Amino acid sequence: MWTDQAMLKLSDKESYNREVLYHVLRKEKPDLSKSAFRWTLYNLQQKNKIFRTGRDSYVTVKSELLPIYHPFYSNEAKRVAKEISLIHPEIPFVIFESVLLNEFLNHQIAQNTIYIQVQRDISSYVFDRLQDNHAGSVLYKPTKKEFDRYWTKDCIVILDLISQSPMSDESPHEITVEKLLVDMIAEKSIAATFSPAELPDIFQNVRESCRIDRHRLNRYAGRRGKTEQINIYMGDS
């Protein structure tokens, strides 16, 4: 098969980004389109001929231990996080943005939404303070209907930080992969940013590229009443 010939040109000691892989595959199949390439790359991963190791990074040999997930935040998300830290340095919060899912999606999210999950008793206070610099683009615990109606580009959504959320030990404001997997099902405003048909692929891509603490995942899924869904997408049922 032509893909097997292309794979022979890849070293098992190097990592490759999508652009390089596209050109390698296209040398064997000159009429390979970008959309066909995405499906080819997906199929190669399905057959365990290539493995994702991080953001836009692939190898031909799977390492014994997958890396810990670290989100790559946009500059705007970093600015918002800094604003909140300046409001009160001790405020516990976690930041997520919808474009982080592009690392695991087949159909990319073009318009970003920034989510701030803040301790329940001060979330309204943080909302009021952010309104000073982001008037008209901050939503407070919106329903799906409110999200669809009032969403704007780079919209900031304030949500309550659920107790027992799995937190990062190294960077307390970074979202962990366990929290990401549960929240994209449990939070309706997050689920609204991508097609539910993508969920099986998201979970598979995450499982193949990141280390997942199943105990933390299952505990948080139970806290949010999503154990059954998580088990299905993790391939446990």
Side-chain angles (χ1 to χ4, degrees):
M1 190 174 179
W2 68 271
T3 53
D4 293 331
Q5 292 301 315
M7 294 298 294
L8 290 174
K9 298 178 179 178
L10 300 175
S11 169
D12 61 0
K13 296 180 175 59
E14 295 182 30
S15 61
Y16 302 90
N17 60 31
R18 293 188 188 191
E19 192 64 28
V20 171
L21 290 174
Y22 175 63
H23 287 298
V24 170
L25 290 167
R26 200 176 180 194
K27 284 183 180 179
E28 294 297 323
K29 189 176 177 60
D31 61 343
L32 183 70
S33 66
K34 285 285 188 178
S35 59
F37 163 71
R38 286 194 293 270
W39 281 109
T40 301
L41 183 59
Y42 172 77
N43 288 329
L44 287 172
Q45 292 177 81
Q46 290 287 96
K47 296 176 181 178
N48 292 326
K49 292 185 176 181
I50 200 164
F51 305 91
R52 188 203 300 262
T53 58
R55 186 182 179 87
D56 196 19
S57 179
Y58 298 84
V59 295
T60 59
V61 177
K62 189 174 185 178
S63 61
E64 293 184 4
L65 188 62
L66 293 171
I68 294 174
Y69 172 72
H70 288 292
F72 292 84
Y73 290 114
S74 67
N75 290 332
E76 182 61 25
K78 291 177 183 177
R79 280 193 289 269
V80 174
K82 186 175 181 180
E83 283 184 57
I84 298 172
S85 296
L86 290 174
I87 291 172
H88 196 309
E90 302 304 318
I91 286 179
F93 71 91
V94 174
I95 189 164
F96 168 75
E97 53 183 336
S98 57
V99 293
L100 289 178
L101 293 176
N102 283 342
E103 184 175 350
F104 310 110
L105 286 169
N106 290 319
H107 299 90
Q108 304 286 280
I109 295 172
Q111 302 296 334
N112 196 24
T113 305
I114 298 170
Y115 298 85
I116 308 295
Q117 298 185 356
V118 194
Q119 187 175 306
R120 184 186 300 271
D121 58 351
I122 54 176
S123 59
S124 61
Y125 169 70
V126 172
F127 168 75
D128 291 337
R129 293 297 302 271
L130 287 178
Q131 282 279 60
D132 294 340
N133 295 327
H134 306 272
S137 62
V138 187
L139 301 179
Y140 183 63
K141 296 194 286 190
T143 63
K144 185 179 184 303
K145 184 176 180 180
E146 291 170 336
F147 179 82
D148 292 340
R149 182 173 183 179
Y150 298 111
W151 180 90
T152 59
K153 183 180 179 182
D154 288 324
C155 180
I156 301 170
V157 177
I158 306 298
L159 301 170
D160 288 335
L161 180 62
I162 304 299
S163 62
Q164 299 179 29
S165 291
M167 307 288 279
S168 169
D169 296 326
E170 300 175 6
S171 305
H173 305 316
E174 284 190 1
I175 192 165
T176 62
V177 71
E178 297 84 10
K179 183 170 174 55
L180 182 152
L181 289 174
V182 176
D183 284 353
M184 68 182 185
I185 294 175
E187 292 291 350
K188 292 182 179 179
S189 61
I190 294 178
T193 63
F194 63 92
S195 169
E198 295 258 30
L199 279 170
D201 288 341
I202 293 174
F203 272 80
Q204 179 168 343
N205 289 335
V206 171
R207 291 200 311 269
E208 292 177 352
S209 61
C210 305
R211 207 181 309 175
I212 301 174
D213 186 322
R214 290 302 302 270
H215 175 71
R216 295 211 302 174
L217 177 69
N218 293 338
R219 182 182 180 187
Y220 185 54
R223 176 71 179 84
R224 305 218 62 177
K226 300 299 178 183
T227 300
E228 183 178 355
Q229 293 96 316
I230 290 296
N231 286 340
I232 290 172
Y233 289 120
M234 289 297 291
D236 297 337
S237 60

